Structure formats: C-alpha cells, structure tokens
C-alpha cells in the first residue's frame, strides 16, 4: 500500500490519509493536520515532529504511547492461583475442523498473558470458545477450579468471566440502543423486577456512574451508541465488562480502531485489572500492545500455541519467527 501511495505522490497526486496509527503517519505523510472535537488544532511538518507531539495535539495532554510502560514481572509473585486454564482444547472453525488444535495454557490471577500471531491462526475461535460463543470439540476450559467447558455464555459471565470482543459492532453493542441500555447487555436481569420489567431509573443511574468512571462522551445516556466515535463505543464495552465483578477478562483486540487517548485509557484499565489480581488474556494483532502489557506472551500459528515466552525474553524478531512458522518451540 505504501508503495502505491508513494508512486501516486511521485506522479503528482494528492493523498489525504486518515488514520489513528502514528507509525503510519510518520512513515508515509509529508504534513500532519490534527483535529480534535471537530476543529483543526494543529498543522505540522512530519519531518519536524514526533509521535509524542502528534499524540499531545490529538488528546490535549501528554500521552503514554504503547511500549513505554513495561509490566511488573509475574515471577515476583510465585504463589498466584490459576484464574483461567485451557487443557488440550480443540475447536472447529468455519473452514477447519481444528481451527484451535490441542491448545493448553494457563493465566494466573494478577497476570496478563498476551497472544500474538498473524490473524487467522485460530485466535478468534479460541476466544469465542472460551467465552461460550463457539462449541468445544474436545478438551477443557477451567475458570479457577470450575469446569465451564459446556457452560453457556451467560453462565460464564455469572461465574466471573468478562469478555471484550474483537468486533464491538457484531458482538459488543446494539448500535441503535442507547448508551444506558448497552451498558446492561448480558446483565439486564439484574435491572429487572421479578416479572421482567426493567427498572429505568436504576439503569439510568448505572449509566451515569459508568459514563463518569470510564469517561464516555457524550455524557447523555440516552444517545444511541451508533452516534459515538469508535473510541467511545469501545469505552461502553469496556465499562460494561470491567465495571462489574469478574475474575477473568478476555480482551480481544481491545484497542482496534481507537485513538491514542482511548488506547492509553484502555491500557490503564487492563493494568489496573492485573493489579487487582484479575487474570487477563489479551489477544492483539498489535505487537506494541502485546509488549507493553503482557507478563508472558504465547504465540499462535496454525491453530496451535507454538511458544510461550516471558516478556523479558521476547522481541519482534523472535516472535516473528514463531508467528510465521519459521521456528519451532524448543521448550
């Protein structure tokens, strides 16, 4: 793509590139225009600026970019209980009977385990199976010591599992519903009487609390979710899934398509969950995000976990070899 854009520029074409990804801005642009709240706030030459300066203009304050805040080593806490355990999991996908093939993995309380891999290597099917959205062919899923392999998605939520899905529109939101109604999806029974009538004032109060806590904008809980920016739509999902009691969090592509300010906020929430002894399984196509948040990194290739490495022993070259099948797990 960059080659095509450079040829267009070389031939005299004008290109307007709209992106949240600062590495893309720095790699391809000549000038940068930053908009915030619908207004142009700054114009700058790419050669004369930095990603940090662009992020500051975008958000209106200094921002911690991904990769700049390494996690505390999990090795310092050797007595942690296991929050999530996968035993020899096999899951069928739309094209393969073994989209997930004999996967075993543990995530301890107070730990973030990141799953890296080229998309399409079983990550989606793995997360959906753990969340109860896709049946398991064989193997087991344990939440703490409880076997939840055949439990419904609702039952898993009740047992302490939260799920940030990779597609917020398909799995996370009903776009025509209000912010307040999206904030109770999956737990709406908690806001209903015995005869099933929704307690609207309680729903509104829940929305006001979470809107303030998770900085959702606009702050009007009656606004439909489709009217919000991608970052604020994602905050609705984050607020609903992390704003209730949980012990295990599945976070699939949690910052895809959101701006740097929302990325920083979401990363803070994931680190806070770890600090509160939650077990977090993070699946991300962004290696910077994996490096910034993970205590251990598992790599998926061809439906299998081909390596599990402590964060300190992983870099892009090592992970790249595993992600492309150019290396085998020697452990």
């Amino acid at each position: 793509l960059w080659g095509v854009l450079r040829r267009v520029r070389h031939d005299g074409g004008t290109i307007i590139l709209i992106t949240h990804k600062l590495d893309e801005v720095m790699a391809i642009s000549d000038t940068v225009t930053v908009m915030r709240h619908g207004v142009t706030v700054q114009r700058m030459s790419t050669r004369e600026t930095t990603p940090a300066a662009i992020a500051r203009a975008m958000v209106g304050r200094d921002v911690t970019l991904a990769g700049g805040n390494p996690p505390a080593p999990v090795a310092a806490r050797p007595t942690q209980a296991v929050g999530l355990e996968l035993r020899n999991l096999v899951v069928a996908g739309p094209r393969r009977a073994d989209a997930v093939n004999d996967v075993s993995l543990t995530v301890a309380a107070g730990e973030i385990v990141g799953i890296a891999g080229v998309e399409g290597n079983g990550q989606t099917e793995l997360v959906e199976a753990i969340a109860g959205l896709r049946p398991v062919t064989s193997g087991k899923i344990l939440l703490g010591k409880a076997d939840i392999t055949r439990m419904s998605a609702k039952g898993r939520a009740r047992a302490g599992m939260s799920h940030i899905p990779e597609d917020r529109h398909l799995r996370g939101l009903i776009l025509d519903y209000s912010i307040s109604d999206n904030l109770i999806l999956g737990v709406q029974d908690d806001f209903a009487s015995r005869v099933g009538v929704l307690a609207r004032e309680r729903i509104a109060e829940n929305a006001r609390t979470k809107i303030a806590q998770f900085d959702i904008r606009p702050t009007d809980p009656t606004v439909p979710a489709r009217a919000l920016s991608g970052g604020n739509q994602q905050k609705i999902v984050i607020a609903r899934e992390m704003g209730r009691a949980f012990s295990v969090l599945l976070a699939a592509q949690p910052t895809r398509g959101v701006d740097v300010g929302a990325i920083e906020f979401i990363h803070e929430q994931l680190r806070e969950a770890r600090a509160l002894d939650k077990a977090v399984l993070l699946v991300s196509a962004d290696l910077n995000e994996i490096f910034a948040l993970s205590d251990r990194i598992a790599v998926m290739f061809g439906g299998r976990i081909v390596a599990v490495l402590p964060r300190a022993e992983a870099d892009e070259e090592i992970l790249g070899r595993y992600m492309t099948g150019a290396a085998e797990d020697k452990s």
Side-chain angles (χ1 to χ4, degrees):
L1 175 60
W2 294 155
V4 171
L5 295 182
R6 290 187 177 104
R7 286 197 297 273
V8 171
R9 177 176 59 188
H10 180 267
D11 293 341
T14 298
I15 301 165
I16 300 174
L17 175 70
I18 302 172
T19 179
H20 291 143
K21 295 182 179 295
L22 298 185
D23 57 342
E24 294 181 351
V25 172
M26 299 303 295
I28 197 66
S29 70
D30 298 294
T31 62
V32 182
T33 298
V34 179
M35 293 181 65
R36 188 168 73 244
H37 301 309
V39 177
T40 296
V41 295
Q42 195 165 347
R43 292 185 177 92
M44 59 195 84
S45 167
T46 306
R47 291 181 179 180
E48 298 174 0
T49 190
T50 64
I54 298 172
R56 188 182 310 115
M58 291 170 66
V59 180
R61 56 174 173 78
D62 288 335
V63 175
T64 301
L65 300 177
N69 191 0
V74 75
R77 306 171 64 195
T79 60
Q80 290 168 305
V82 173
L84 176 69
E85 183 177 0
L86 312 177
R87 294 181 183 173
N88 307 111
L89 207 62
V90 177
V91 181
R95 298 179 184 86
R96 291 174 51 191
D98 57 350
V100 175
N101 190 354
D102 196 28
V103 165
S104 295
L105 186 69
T106 61
V107 186
E111 180 184 35
I112 298 176
V113 172
I115 294 185
V118 177
E119 292 193 61
N121 277 278
Q123 301 96 315
T124 296
E125 292 84 357
L126 177 65
V127 171
E128 289 181 350
I130 298 170
L133 302 175
R134 184 178 292 272
V136 170
T137 302
S138 62
K140 288 186 177 182
I141 304 169
L142 303 180
L143 188 68
K145 296 182 179 180
D147 187 342
I148 62 168
T149 310
R150 307 300 172 189
M151 190 178 286
S152 68
K154 183 176 181 178
R156 295 176 201 218
R158 294 291 186 193
M161 179 178 290
S162 283
H163 175 211
I164 301 169
E166 67 176 73
D167 188 331
R168 58 179 170 266
H169 290 172
L170 180 64
R171 295 290 197 187
L173 299 166
I174 300 177
L175 293 175
D176 289 328
Y177 279 20
S178 66
I179 295 173
S180 59
D181 284 349
N182 272 286
L183 284 168
I184 65 165
L185 291 180
V187 293
Q188 59 267 25
D189 290 353
D190 295 342
F191 294 87
S193 67
R194 290 183 179 179
V195 294
V197 178
L198 292 173
R200 282 291 164 192
E201 183 50 44
R202 286 181 55 216
I203 293 172
E205 178 58 31
N206 173 71
R208 287 190 290 268
T209 299
K210 287 185 169 56
I211 285 170
Q213 182 181 356
F214 289 87
D215 191 29
I216 299 170
R217 302 176 190 180
T219 59
D220 181 354
T222 67
V223 171
R226 72 167 60 254
L228 277 63
S229 68
N232 281 290
Q233 289 178 351
Q234 188 72 346
K235 284 183 180 180
I236 295 175
V237 179
I238 299 287
R240 183 182 67 234
E241 298 302 314
M242 300 186 70
R244 61 180 179 83
F246 68 94
S247 58
V248 171
L249 175 66
L250 309 178
Q253 315 294 351
T255 61
R256 173 177 283 166
V258 306
D259 62 66
V260 291
I263 289 172
E264 181 190 46
F265 177 84
I266 293 167
H267 285 187
E268 288 173 354
Q269 298 304 309
L270 295 177
R271 290 190 180 103
E272 183 175 340
R274 176 180 57 192
L276 294 173
D277 280 340
K278 313 301 183 184
V280 180
L281 183 64
L282 169 68
V283 178
S284 178
D286 185 345
L287 282 184
N288 286 333
E289 184 164 71
I290 291 289
F291 286 133
L293 296 172
S294 304
D295 298 292
R296 290 185 295 136
I297 301 173
V299 183
M300 285 196 74
F301 177 76
R304 295 179 177 272
I305 298 289
V306 295
V308 180
L309 304 169
R311 166 63 183 89
E313 296 178 12
D315 59 29
E316 288 189 3
E317 181 179 352
I318 292 171
L319 293 190
R321 292 202 300 269
Y322 286 114
M323 288 168 62
T324 57
E328 293 181 358
D329 188 8
K330 304 299 184 183
S331 62

